[in-house]
Amino acid sequence: MFLEKHMLEKKRKNVVDKFSSFICFTEDNHQIRLHWKIDAELKKNIQSKVKADPEAKESFWAQHFLKVLLVQSSTDNQNLVKIKSQPCLSTAKKHFSAYLQEACFKAARDIYNEFKYIKHKYSLEEYFQIANIAASTPSKFFKNFNFERHQINIEAYAITAFKRFIRNQIYRQDLEARRTRFSSYGLLKDLNARELTEALQAQSFSVQKIVSYRLAWQCFCEIFQITANNLNNRTRSPSQPQLLAIANYYNQRCNQLHLFNPLVTDIEILEMLSTCIKAAKNYRHKQYLYFEENYCAIAESTASVWDVMINKEECQQIEIILNNLFKHMPEQCQTLFNLWQGLNLTQTEIANLVKYKYPELQKQYQVARQLKKYGRKILEEFAFQWNKTNPEISLNDEKDIERIKSALDKCLQQYCQEMFLSALNDIWEAYSDEERQNILISFNYKRSLLVKLQADESGVNNDSQPVNSQLLEKFKKHIETTMCLKKDSLSVVNYKIANIVNEWIQSKQR
């Protein structure tokens, strides 16, 4: 496994270099080095053009070559005359491709980081070559470029187009990458019956349960209608009326098919769909392991900044900085992160909960935008506070900050979860010893009963959990009161809150 150091040796600074040089990848001492290679013919040609018009900037020449290529493409389409092999057009295409080298690299690097779990399959160079395919076919990727909109430059436009092209190419050929393309419910719509059946079989469900889950999935697909172009991570979750409609349709179909399954509610149909989603994700992920998790034993040439922090036994200091930092963030930031990281709610679920408190957060994408903004602010503020107290192992630049992002996210998640666990502890302490004992006895009895019913294959949902309703309701009321949420608003995510309560109760008995 070669260590890859994806850094360009230098940036191109003048017009001649930008329209006559290309990025080359070379291996040097088990590292991948990137450098610029000059095309002598292109350099001579662009030098003559710059000499003739020395005041023209790079943006002028980029638009000039693109216009030449687009005009010729239009002429070819109209007259069916194929003259693209003419020297002037070939040279224009090469100049334009040279200019877009940095855009190709930036797009490739972004996708490389986005698909970091399959680094063992695709190198940065492969993504870069895919981007170059797009750069060499401007008639396809730049046909809608608006030359009149001066605020949009060609390079920025290219990066967006190239990233989309690379991503689609990988999705088309790689199952492991494709599983991340969809939201949970978009994934359900993308499944076919055979794939879902195999996914459920892989989870060792009984035939009876597979029939039930498949029927729930079929009812979902008929009631919850979205187009094939809207299956990505912005796909909304089913609303409560839709869940009720799916549950009613499921009960009706069970009756028509003479399936003696228990009647289900909207919450239970949501749990069944969640089981299908979980099985489908596991199925599409089968035979694949995250690269980073499986190569953790590979020694890096230098330890990461975060490793140095841990090795310096600064965990307690990290917690103190994060605690003080988070408490001083805006209330909206604390609310969003507590719901997201602490309760594991989706961005759509969060939008439904906070839209009355924050009218500007009505949609999933608005919540996502705020989380991204606050996440960046937390990261930068943490780096600032860390550097003040630890100048000897400071975070010096963007690369250092990005390296700690994943680890800091985990710490932040743990911090938010601890807040809710602390609330459960406070509620628990308010009970008498006798009440606590009764709760534990009741919980264990219900859990053993569920295990027995599942062993008898009686159709009980595999994800069912014994719930102490009194403790659950007090916990939900506490959350709604302290976070100023609308009364009973957490009922739509009851199953997620119940999971937290159940896991907490189990931890009390270990």
Side-chain angles (χ1 to χ4, degrees):
M1 176 64 65
F2 291 123
L3 299 176
E4 296 177 327
K5 190 174 182 179
H6 302 143
M7 296 290 294
L8 282 169
E9 292 178 351
K10 60 181 179 179
K11 290 187 177 181
R12 301 179 295 182
K13 295 181 179 180
N14 57 65
V15 171
V16 171
D17 286 345
K18 288 190 176 185
F19 288 90
S20 64
S21 58
F22 295 84
I23 294 175
C24 288
F25 287 68
T26 58
E27 178 194 332
D28 180 17
N29 194 26
H30 302 298
Q31 290 188 333
I32 302 300
R33 302 288 185 185
L34 283 71
H35 62 275
W36 294 105
K37 184 176 181 180
I38 298 288
D39 183 307
E41 185 175 328
L42 291 181
K43 183 176 182 179
K44 182 179 179 180
N45 188 63
I46 192 66
Q47 280 177 332
S48 65
K49 291 181 179 298
V50 169
K51 186 176 180 180
D53 191 355
E55 298 299 321
K57 298 181 179 180
E58 67 175 80
S59 57
F60 167 82
W61 290 114
Q63 291 196 19
H64 166 74
F65 292 125
L66 178 57
K67 287 176 180 178
V68 169
L69 296 169
L70 292 181
V71 168
Q72 185 56 48
S73 174
S74 176
T75 302
D76 287 346
N77 291 334
Q78 292 174 13
N79 302 325
L80 299 179
V81 177
K82 302 298 182 181
I83 56 172
K84 292 184 179 180
S85 60
Q86 288 187 0
C88 61
L89 294 175
S90 176
T91 302
K93 182 181 287 188
K94 289 177 182 178
H95 279 309
F96 190 69
S97 182
Y99 173 72
L100 293 177
Q101 289 294 285
E102 278 158 326
C104 290
F105 177 74
K106 290 175 183 176
R109 185 184 57 194
D110 286 351
I111 298 299
Y112 182 84
N113 291 328
E114 182 178 325
F115 288 160
K116 58 184 178 182
Y117 54 89
I118 51 174
K119 285 181 179 178
H120 59 297
K121 287 183 170 184
Y122 305 99
S123 66
L124 177 69
E125 185 176 6
E126 288 176 278
Y127 292 131
F128 177 76
Q129 295 304 333
I130 295 173
N132 267 298
I133 294 174
S136 64
T137 50
S139 59
K140 177 179 179 181
F141 290 92
F142 292 85
K143 61 183 179 181
N144 295 321
F145 182 80
N146 188 344
F147 290 91
E148 303 302 320
R149 297 184 64 181
H150 300 294
Q151 67 271 32
I152 301 179
N153 63 53
I154 289 177
E155 185 177 18
Y157 184 95
I159 292 171
T160 301
F162 295 172
K163 286 168 65 173
R164 186 184 302 117
F165 179 64
I166 298 171
R167 195 180 288 117
N168 288 339
Q169 289 292 104
I170 300 301
Y171 285 151
R172 188 175 294 117
Q173 68 190 40
D174 195 294
L175 176 66
E176 185 183 15
R178 193 161 67 246
R179 71 183 177 80
T180 67
R181 187 179 189 179
F182 306 112
S183 70
S184 293
Y185 292 99
L187 174 60
L188 279 188
K189 295 291 285 189
D190 184 62
L191 288 173
N192 56 48
R194 177 195 58 77
E195 194 173 12
L196 178 61
T197 300
E198 292 179 0
L200 293 169
Q201 288 173 340
Q203 299 297 308
S204 300
F205 285 108
S206 66
V207 173
Q208 183 179 352
K209 285 186 178 180
I210 290 175
V211 170
S212 298
Y213 287 131
R214 272 192 53 173
L215 182 58
W217 167 74
Q218 290 169 349
C219 295
F220 161 80
C221 289
E222 291 189 39
I223 298 294
F224 190 70
Q225 295 297 324
I226 49 179
T227 64
N229 292 327
N230 292 316
L231 300 179
N232 59 26
N233 56 15
R234 295 186 295 275
T235 302
R236 70 188 189 283
S237 303
S239 63
Q240 190 172 17
Q242 286 175 319
L243 289 171
L244 283 170
I246 296 169
N248 291 335
Y249 188 39
Y250 172 86
N251 294 330
Q252 178 186 338
R253 293 289 292 147
C254 283
N255 184 52
Q256 292 172 344
L257 296 170
H258 304 293
L259 298 175
F260 300 103
N261 293 346
L263 297 178
V264 299
T265 64
D266 57 329
I267 293 176
E268 290 167 330
I269 203 71
L270 182 61
E271 291 174 347
M272 295 177 76
L273 294 175
S274 296
T275 299
C276 292
I277 291 169
K278 189 184 300 182
K281 286 182 176 179
N282 289 337
Y283 175 78
R284 288 197 170 182
H285 187 56
K286 68 181 181 179
Q287 297 177 352
Y288 298 113
L289 295 172
Y290 281 116
F291 175 69
E292 289 185 337
E293 293 176 355
N294 284 277
Y295 285 83
C296 59
I298 296 178
E300 296 288 342
S301 57
T302 56
S304 71
V305 174
W306 192 263
D307 290 333
V308 173
M309 293 179 184
I310 300 302
N311 291 335
K312 288 281 187 178
E313 299 180 350
E314 301 288 357
C315 293
Q316 186 176 4
Q317 186 181 357
I318 292 169
E319 291 176 6
I320 292 172
I321 292 175
L322 190 57
N323 180 45
N324 292 334
L325 169 62
F326 193 69
K327 285 181 178 178
H328 287 88
M329 293 300 288
E331 180 194 43
Q332 185 183 93
C333 170
Q334 296 182 46
T335 299
L336 295 181
F337 270 89
N338 281 328
L339 293 173
W340 182 43
Q341 299 279 38
L343 297 181
N344 195 32
L345 302 187
T346 65
Q347 293 167 356
T348 300
E349 290 168 340
I350 293 171
N352 289 331
L353 288 177
V354 304
K355 61 185 178 183
Y356 303 103
K357 184 177 181 180
Y358 305 116
E360 70 276 17
L361 301 180
Q362 299 281 324
K363 303 291 185 181
Q364 177 272 333
Y365 72 88
Q366 293 170 324
V367 171
R369 189 179 298 156
Q370 288 300 96
L371 284 170
K372 182 178 180 180
K373 182 186 80 172
Y374 287 132
R376 186 64 191 176
K377 187 175 181 180
I378 290 171
L379 191 62
E380 292 174 348
E381 185 62 27
F382 177 86
F384 175 75
Q385 295 295 336
W386 176 268
N387 288 346
K388 282 173 62 176
T389 54
N390 298 276
E392 73 281 4
I393 46 173
S394 61
L395 304 169
N396 297 313
D397 53 30
E398 286 291 319
K399 289 191 297 180
D400 286 344
I401 293 176
E402 283 301 317
R403 287 192 189 107
I404 71 166
K405 184 180 184 304
S406 177
L408 188 61
D409 285 344
K410 291 178 182 177
C411 287
L412 186 58
Q413 182 181 39
Q414 184 176 358
Y415 173 84
C416 293
Q417 289 173 347
E418 286 294 332
M419 186 193 76
F420 292 110
L421 297 180
S422 177
L424 277 171
N425 284 327
D426 291 341
I427 296 170
W428 182 256
E429 291 300 321
Y431 286 115
S432 66
D433 290 340
E434 183 180 357
E435 287 173 322
R436 294 178 202 163
Q437 191 64 27
N438 289 336
I439 289 174
L440 295 177
I441 292 172
S442 174
F443 176 85
N444 290 327
Y445 173 75
K446 290 178 181 178
R447 185 169 59 174
S448 63
L449 183 61
L450 280 171
V451 170
K452 184 178 184 303
L453 290 173
Q454 289 170 354
D456 293 339
E457 298 184 355
S458 58
V460 178
N461 191 300
N462 194 54
D463 286 342
S464 297
Q465 289 284 347
V467 179
N468 182 275
S469 57
Q470 186 183 28
L471 183 57
L472 176 62
E473 290 306 314
K474 285 191 174 185
F475 184 46
K476 289 196 298 184
K477 184 178 180 181
H478 169 83
I479 296 172
E480 290 169 351
T481 302
T482 57
M483 302 184 73
C484 300
L485 301 177
K486 191 176 180 182
K487 185 179 179 182
D488 297 326
S489 59
L490 288 173
S491 60
V492 294
V493 290
N494 197 71
Y495 73 104
K496 286 190 174 181
I497 310 298
N499 284 338
I500 294 173
V501 173
N502 290 330
E503 290 177 7
W504 181 85
I505 291 177
Q506 290 182 56
S507 71
K508 300 296 289 184
Q509 303 180 85
R510 291 174 188 146

